[in-house]
Amino acid sequence: MPEETKIHFLDYWQVIQSRKEIVIAVAFLVILTGILVTFEMPKVYEAAALIRVKEDIPDLYVLGRSESRYDPRFLGTQYEIIKSKPIVEETVRRLGLTEKLGKAMGYLELLGDRSFDQTVKVVSRSMKVQQFRETDLIQIRVRLSEPKDTVRQDIADIANTVADVFRDLNLARNREKEEKALK
């Protein structure tokens, strides 16, 4: 029987040493390709706002004392309200995003009157709402790749304004309930 030859680490090292120019050239090309691809990739920015959503207990009871109760659907409902089109539309109006994002992404001149709807779609797609299990916390994340113009601060403003619009909507709804109760 022929004796098996074992290849040791030193054998590999000798092969690498004898072809070190090729190894260095390949490593250099891989690093250079990685750097070029990284610089060509669009910059992606993300901002998040964390809000605590609590069911309001009214200060004013119309028909005597009211018992507070837990509604298991409350947080799910609030989650859907935050993602809703009216919240996004009001955010786009408050921040004037139609012009900013429309110019930055190049659709303002192309779409004309429909650019508001396109901006609402862009913001809706870039916004992710996450409800944390077993808590009353909801996170609003906005993630956009950098268009032609810089919108870094706008992304943070979008996340914060969505939270503000949601808060204002809830305050207005509660005021309306209280006024009806007073009447």
Side-chain angles (χ1 to χ4, degrees), residues 21-33:
E21 294 85 15
I22 295 173
V23 171
I24 291 171
V26 168
F28 179 73
L29 285 174
V30 168
I31 291 170
L32 185 64
T33 303

Side-chain angles (χ1 to χ4, degrees), residues 88-101 123 153-162 164-165:
V88 176
E89 287 176 347
E90 181 60 25
T91 300
V92 169
R93 279 189 203 96
R94 282 190 188 184
L95 294 175
L97 292 176
T98 301
E99 188 172 321
K100 289 179 187 177
L101 290 179
V123 172
Q153 184 57 42
D154 291 335
I155 294 170
D157 291 342
I158 291 170
N160 291 328
T161 304
V162 167
D164 290 343
V165 168

Side-chain angles (χ1 to χ4, degrees), residues 123-136:
V123 172
S124 292
R125 276 187 257 140
S126 68
M127 186 174 78
K128 301 289 182 229
V129 180
Q130 178 183 0
Q131 177 183 349
F132 293 103
R133 197 174 274 203
E134 303 297 326
T135 68
D136 54 358

Side-chain angles (χ1 to χ4, degrees), residues 33-43:
T33 303
I35 290 171
L36 291 175
V37 167
T38 302
F39 279 119
E40 290 297 316
M41 292 176 67
K43 294 177 181 155

Side-chain angles (χ1 to χ4, degrees), residues 56 74 77-78 81 87 165-180:
D56 290 328
F74 175 74
T77 303
Q78 301 308 305
I81 289 172
I87 298 282
V165 168
F166 174 71
R167 181 196 62 217
D168 295 346
L169 178 76
N170 279 342
L171 289 174
R173 191 178 313 126
N174 289 339
R175 256 187 258 122
E176 186 178 307
K177 284 181 186 178
E178 288 176 3
E179 288 174 4
K180 283 183 182 178

